[in-house]
Amino acid sequence: MSAPADAPSGRAEAPSGPAETPQHPTEEPTGVLPGTGAGTRRGRVWRHPRLRWPKRVLLALVLVLLVPSLAAGIALRVNYAGDPGPGTATRNRDAVWLGHAWVDGRKKDTDVTTLAARLRSTGIRDLYVHAGPLEHDGTLPRTAYPRAAWLIAAVHHELPGVRVQAWLGDALASEGPHGLRMERADTRQAVVGSTRQILAAGFDGVHFDFEPLHSGNRDYLSLLDDLHEVTRSRHVPLSVAAHQIDPLPAAHAVRGSLTNHPKWWSQWYFGQVARRVDQIALMSYDTALPMESLYGGYVAQQTSLALEVTPESTDLLMGLPFFHEDDMSHHESAETVTAAVRGARLGLSRTDRHRDRFGLALYVDFAATEADWTAYREGWVR
C-alpha cells in the first residue's frame, strides 16, 4: 500500500526577513497551503505535531498486519520449493468421499461398474459413503440409507479388498444455537448407538465428520474412546475427518478470540485425536490462500505437522480438493489437486519418507472433474 503524500507538490514561498519562532501548536502556522496541514520555515516543511502521532500509529498497524503476512507468504512459497523425494507415491491406502446418492436409490449397477473401472488403477482402499447425517440428538434414521446393503455387496464384488465405510456426522452447536451438542452425555451415547446400528447394516467401518469442532474439546475425545471400543470389537476401522493444524503457534486461540471460529486445532490436540482412531483424514482445503504455490506450501507444512504427532499405528490421509468453488475460503485457481499432491509429497519427503500408513483422501466424487482424477493419478499413483 502506498502511503499518502505528506508534503505539497509545490514549495511555498519562504517568508522574507528573519525566521520567526513557530506559533503554538494549537494555532494554524503561517505559510500553510490550504488542505495540506503543513507550512514552511526557511523552505522546510513544518508539520502540525498533532498529525504526527496518528500517522505513526497507522504505519505501525500497517507493519504489524503486513510484515507477518509477507513473512508467512515467503515461508509457504519456500516450503513449496524443491523436489519430492523418491518413493513418495501411493501406499494403496487412499480414500474418496462419496455422496449420499450411493445409498438413497439414485445410483444403479452401471454406476458401480463405472466407479470400479475408475478406481482399479488407483491406490484407493476406502470409500467414505455419506449415510447420515445424524440427528441433533445423535440418532440415525434408518430411512437415511435404504440401499446400503446393495452398494456394499456391489463394491465387494467389483472391487475386492476395498472397504465401504459409513460417513456420518452433524453440524455442532459450538458456534450457534443449533446443532449436535457434544457436551451432553446422552447425545454421545446416542452416537455410539448409531454406530452399532450402521455397522449392523454391513458397513466395513465408520467415518465421522463433526464441524466446527474446537481444539481441546474433551467431550469429543471421550466419544472417540467409546466409539473405538465398538469398532475394535467388530474388527473394523474407526475413521475421522480432522481440522487443520495451527500454522503458527496458538493460531486457533488468537483467531477464536477474534471471531469465535478458531478454525485450526493445536498440534497437540490433533495428536490426541489421532491416537484414538485407526484413520485420520486432515481436511487440507478451504484455506483462503490466493496462489497455487502458497497453497502447495501450506499442504506441505500441514503434512509435516500431522506426521509429527500421528502414531505409526494410525493411517494419516491428507484431504485433496476434488471440488470447484470460488469464495472467501476457497479459490479453485489456487487450491488445485496438483498443488495438494505435490505439497503432500514434499511434506512426506521431509518428515517421514518411509512411512507406510499414509495416503490421500479425495473430496468429493460428485464434484470431481476428469482433470482432478488425472492430476491425482499422475502426481501420486504414478
Side-chain angles (χ1 to χ4, degrees):
M1 177 185 298
S2 59
D6 291 322
S9 58
R11 175 179 299 219
E13 182 180 354
S16 59
E20 301 176 1
T21 302
Q23 302 176 28
H24 192 277
T26 59
E27 299 174 0
E28 184 73 5
T30 60
V32 174
L33 294 183
T36 66
T40 59
R41 288 287 184 258
R42 296 187 182 276
R44 297 177 62 185
V45 174
W46 185 89
R47 293 175 178 82
H48 199 298
R50 282 187 172 179
L51 300 181
R52 296 175 184 172
W53 286 109
K55 291 177 181 177
R56 291 177 181 176
V57 171
L58 178 60
L59 177 60
L61 289 175
V62 170
L63 292 175
V64 166
L65 295 173
L66 186 60
V67 171
S69 299
L70 288 174
I74 292 171
L76 291 180
R77 183 62 186 88
V78 170
N79 217 27
Y80 195 56
D83 296 318
T88 53
T90 187
R91 277 86 164 118
N92 296 311
R93 293 180 181 271
D94 303 333
V96 58
W97 281 277
L98 300 181
H100 201 81
W102 291 96
V103 294
D104 68 4
R106 283 176 284 172
K107 295 292 187 179
K108 308 300 180 185
D109 290 340
T110 54
D111 297 305
V112 176
T113 301
T114 301
L115 178 67
R118 182 185 291 283
L119 298 187
R120 282 194 191 97
S121 60
T122 69
I124 291 176
R125 180 190 184 190
D126 286 291
L127 310 181
Y128 303 144
V129 183
H130 192 265
L134 298 170
E135 298 292 330
H136 290 342
D137 63 359
T139 59
L140 177 64
R142 295 183 184 277
T143 55
Y145 49 94
R147 294 273 285 165
W150 161 80
L151 175 67
I152 296 166
V155 170
H156 288 173
H157 178 265
E158 293 283 350
L159 295 167
V162 171
R163 300 181 297 196
V164 184
Q165 297 196 43
W167 167 16
L168 302 177
D170 191 19
L172 298 181
S174 53
E175 297 177 8
H178 305 293
L180 185 144
R181 296 190 177 275
M182 191 79 68
E183 68 275 12
R184 294 178 178 172
D186 57 341
T187 299
R188 296 197 303 274
Q189 193 57 41
V191 174
V192 174
S194 296
T195 301
R196 292 193 179 98
Q197 173 186 321
I198 202 71
L199 293 178
F203 281 95
D204 302 313
V206 61
H207 173 82
F208 283 100
D209 177 15
F210 292 106
E211 301 181 46
L213 202 156
H214 293 182
S215 182
N217 188 312
R218 296 280 180 174
D219 296 316
Y220 183 53
L221 299 182
S222 175
L223 174 62
L224 292 178
D225 289 336
D226 294 340
L227 290 172
H228 212 179
E229 288 186 14
V230 173
T231 57
R232 192 182 294 115
S233 68
R234 303 292 184 92
H235 305 289
V236 297
L238 172 61
S239 173
V240 296
H243 288 30
Q244 297 158 27
I245 301 173
D246 280 341
L248 297 171
H252 73 281
V254 174
R255 176 169 172 141
S257 65
L258 296 175
T259 67
N260 192 39
H261 177 59
K263 182 178 174 68
W264 300 286
W265 285 354
S266 71
Q267 190 182 34
W268 174 86
Y269 189 67
F270 187 96
Q272 290 298 310
V273 173
R275 288 179 177 88
R276 289 168 165 81
V277 299
D278 302 297
Q279 192 177 65
I280 186 167
L282 193 157
M283 297 179 286
S284 43
Y285 39 77
D286 290 338
T287 65
L289 290 169
M291 296 173 59
E292 192 174 28
S293 59
L294 300 182
Y295 173 64
Y298 182 82
V299 174
Q301 180 205 45
Q302 290 289 306
T303 302
S304 293
L305 291 171
L307 283 168
E308 289 170 359
V309 293
T310 302
E312 292 290 339
S313 58
T314 302
D315 288 346
L316 171 64
L317 279 65
M318 300 303 294
L320 306 188
F322 263 44
F323 63 97
H324 300 269
E325 297 174 0
D326 258 310
D327 51 37
M328 291 296 291
S329 65
H330 176 86
H331 303 291
E332 65 173 328
S333 61
E335 294 190 18
T336 65
V337 176
T338 299
V341 170
R342 188 169 185 272
R345 292 183 63 206
L346 286 168
L348 180 63
S349 300
R350 295 163 181 162
T351 312
D352 194 357
R353 183 163 63 89
H354 299 292
R355 182 185 177 97
D356 181 58
R357 305 194 72 157
F358 182 86
L360 303 180
L362 321 177
Y363 180 85
V364 58
D365 74 306
F366 56 79
T369 65
E370 285 298 328
D372 294 332
W373 284 103
T374 298
Y376 159 70
R377 288 194 301 269
E378 293 183 352
W380 181 242
V381 181
R382 304 168 67 84

